[in-house]
């Protein structure tokens, strides 16, 4: 039996052997199908190794005393997702001010983002590619198993990799969300929220629900703990770019015109935008933040700032009055 959507090719060569070739169409979301298969396989293996996991939220609260060694598993490799973990580090510093935190990540800029947090002790950085450098992965897992933690946190709603790290760690308390596809039993499971949408707030909400501390208060902002010297250095560079005393400048606007996919608006759009801004605010000055390619998208019409150093770039952004980006 052959599905109607398949194409069948019949070939009769000279030797009389019939060759049947069945060509199955690839769906538009073929990559998504492979991703779905991978996730189903991972869930099946996880259930076999660690059980099906929590079905209901835990009634008991996490203790707010006696927790000194904390592990956070966040195996994303992207800059944005790595930055979105910083509010949780701030919240851990507030609830457990005397504790040390170890972070497991695949981000190549983890040291630049987490390294200045006073409560971060170790950063275990795995390869950005899951299957690359398996010896580094094995070494990291051995390191985790060699340390005893009071609390291990899986901060994400969907990542199964984060859950594996938490389940593999030696920890008295293990915390994570109860969500579809999440396997493995935790000591404290929290129901997925319906009123929290910002990804950077989800880990903070998880910790607050588990400890019962300050659930209704404002969330910490995204932060990489810039030092006063880094901010001053960024402001000094901006002052040299615009050749103006920063204290006397009413409005300094930074523009990042680059983006990926549908977020990329194009140079013409940004040129019209910046022209309109300067017409409405004649006293303002504009600085273009040049992307990693090193090429200006605004034709070098404005002073440009470029840095491959993440913290140096953040220092410059901190000195702006306004930063505009569509990415």
């Amino acid at each position: 039996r052959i599905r109607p959507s398949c194409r069948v090719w019949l070939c009769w060569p000279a030797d009389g052997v019939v060759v049947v070739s069945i060509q199955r169409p690839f769906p538009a979301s073929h990559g998504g199908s492979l991703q779905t298969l991978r996730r189903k396989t991972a869930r099946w293996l996880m259930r076999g190794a660690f059980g099906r996991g929590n079905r209901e939220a835990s009634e008991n609260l996490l203790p707010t005393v006696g927790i000194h060694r904390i592990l956070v598993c966040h195996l994303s490799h992207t800059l944005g997702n790595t930055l979105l973990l910083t509010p949780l580090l701030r919240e851990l510093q507030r609830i457990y001010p005397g504790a040390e935190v170890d972070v497991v990540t695949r981000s190549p800029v983890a040291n630049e983002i987490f390294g200045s947090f006073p409560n971060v002790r170790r950063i275990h950085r795995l390869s950005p590619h899951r299957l690359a450098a398996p010896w580094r992965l094995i070494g990291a897992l051995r390191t985790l198993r060699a340390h005893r933690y009071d609390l291990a946190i899986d901060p994400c709603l969907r990542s199964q990799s984060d859950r594996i790290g938490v389940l593999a760690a030696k920890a008295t308390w293990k915390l994570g969300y109860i969500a579809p596809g999440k396997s493995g039993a935790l000591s404290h499971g929290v129901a997925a929220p319906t009123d929290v949408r910002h990804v950077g707030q989800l880990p903070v909400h998880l910790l607050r629900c588990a400890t019962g501390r300050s659930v209704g208060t404002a969330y910490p902002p995204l932060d990489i703990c810039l030092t006063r010297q880094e901010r001053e250095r960024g402001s000094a560079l901006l002052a040299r770019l615009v050749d103006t005393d920063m204290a006397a400048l009413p409005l300094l606007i930074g523009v990042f015109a680059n983006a990926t996919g549908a977020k990329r608006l194009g140079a013409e759009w940004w040129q019209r935008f910046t022209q309109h801004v300067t017409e409405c605010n004649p006293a303002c000055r504009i600085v273009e933040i040049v992307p990693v390619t090193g090429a200006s998208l605004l034709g070098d019409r404005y002073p440009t700032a470029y840095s491959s150093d993440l913290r140096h770039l953040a220092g410059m952004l901190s000195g702006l009055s306004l930063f505009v980006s569509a990415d």
Side-chain angles (χ1 to χ4, degrees):
R1 294 181 179 180
I2 302 174
R3 294 181 181 178
S5 59
C6 297
R7 291 184 179 180
V8 182
W9 303 90
L10 302 178
C11 303
W12 275 268
D15 57 7
V17 178
V18 179
V19 179
V20 181
S21 175
I22 303 176
Q23 180 182 355
R24 298 182 60 186
F26 287 101
S29 58
H30 182 60
S33 299
L34 293 177
Q35 183 77 351
T36 301
L37 177 61
R38 185 186 66 81
R39 289 178 176 174
K40 287 183 178 180
T41 304
R43 287 197 296 268
W44 180 77
L45 293 173
M46 284 286 295
R47 285 195 297 267
F50 301 105
R52 286 189 172 273
N54 306 54
R55 297 297 182 90
E56 297 181 357
S58 304
E59 297 182 357
N60 298 328
L61 295 178
L62 269 177
T64 55
V65 296
I67 292 181
H68 309 292
R69 297 160 298 182
I70 301 174
L71 175 68
V72 177
C73 292
H74 189 55
L75 298 185
S76 175
H77 69 281
T78 64
L79 170 60
N81 285 334
T82 306
L83 180 63
L84 289 168
L85 190 64
T86 58
L88 174 63
L89 298 180
R90 280 295 192 198
E91 191 72 6
L92 286 170
Q93 189 176 357
R94 185 182 70 85
I95 296 180
Y96 301 107
E100 290 183 334
V101 180
D102 289 0
V103 180
V104 181
T105 178
R106 293 191 296 126
S107 171
V109 294
N111 291 336
E112 289 86 342
I113 293 180
F114 303 140
S116 294
F117 278 86
N119 58 336
V120 172
R121 179 184 60 165
R122 290 192 184 94
I123 299 173
H124 302 284
R125 190 164 66 85
L126 307 182
S127 172
H129 306 287
R130 284 187 174 89
L131 298 180
W135 58 89
R136 183 181 298 178
L137 174 61
I138 295 173
L141 291 177
R142 286 180 177 175
T143 301
L144 291 181
R145 296 290 296 174
H147 292 83
R148 184 75 187 183
Y149 294 98
D150 301 312
L151 173 63
I153 302 176
D154 169 11
C156 296
L157 271 175
R158 297 178 178 85
S159 174
Q160 190 73 350
S161 301
D162 296 353
R163 182 61 57 88
I164 292 175
V166 167
L167 295 175
K170 293 181 179 179
T172 304
W173 312 106
K174 298 185 178 184
L175 171 63
Y177 275 117
I178 301 172
K182 287 279 195 177
S183 302
L186 302 169
S187 65
H188 289 75
V190 174
T194 58
D195 57 342
V196 179
R197 297 180 60 87
H198 195 286
V199 180
Q201 296 175 354
L202 287 172
V204 178
H205 177 83
L206 172 71
L207 183 63
R208 288 180 176 181
C209 289
T211 58
R213 299 285 296 273
S214 306
V215 175
T217 59
Y219 288 91
L222 303 179
D223 186 10
I224 63 171
C225 296
L226 285 175
T227 65
R228 179 174 57 86
Q229 292 78 9
E230 288 173 325
R231 295 180 185 274
E232 290 177 350
R233 184 175 61 182
S235 296
L237 176 59
L238 291 174
R240 292 195 298 269
L241 284 175
V242 298
D243 195 19
T244 305
D245 182 8
M246 296 291 287
L249 190 62
L251 188 62
L252 180 59
I253 303 175
V255 172
F256 181 72
N258 193 38
T260 57
K263 297 175 292 183
R264 188 181 179 94
L265 300 179
E268 293 183 359
W269 189 96
W270 284 104
Q271 290 171 3
R272 294 197 306 269
F273 171 79
T274 52
Q275 181 179 356
H276 182 70
V277 168
T278 53
E279 290 174 354
C280 295
N281 304 273
C284 79
R285 299 293 297 273
I286 292 179
V287 172
E288 181 186 2
I289 309 300
V290 178
V292 68
T293 58
S296 168
L297 275 72
L298 300 180
D300 293 309
R301 294 173 55 190
Y302 305 99
T304 56
Y306 171 83
S307 178
S308 57
D309 186 297
L310 179 65
R311 299 192 67 84
H312 190 194
L313 177 61
M316 288 190 290
L317 297 182
S318 70
L320 297 169
S321 309
L322 176 66
F323 175 66
V324 184
S325 171
D327 194 6

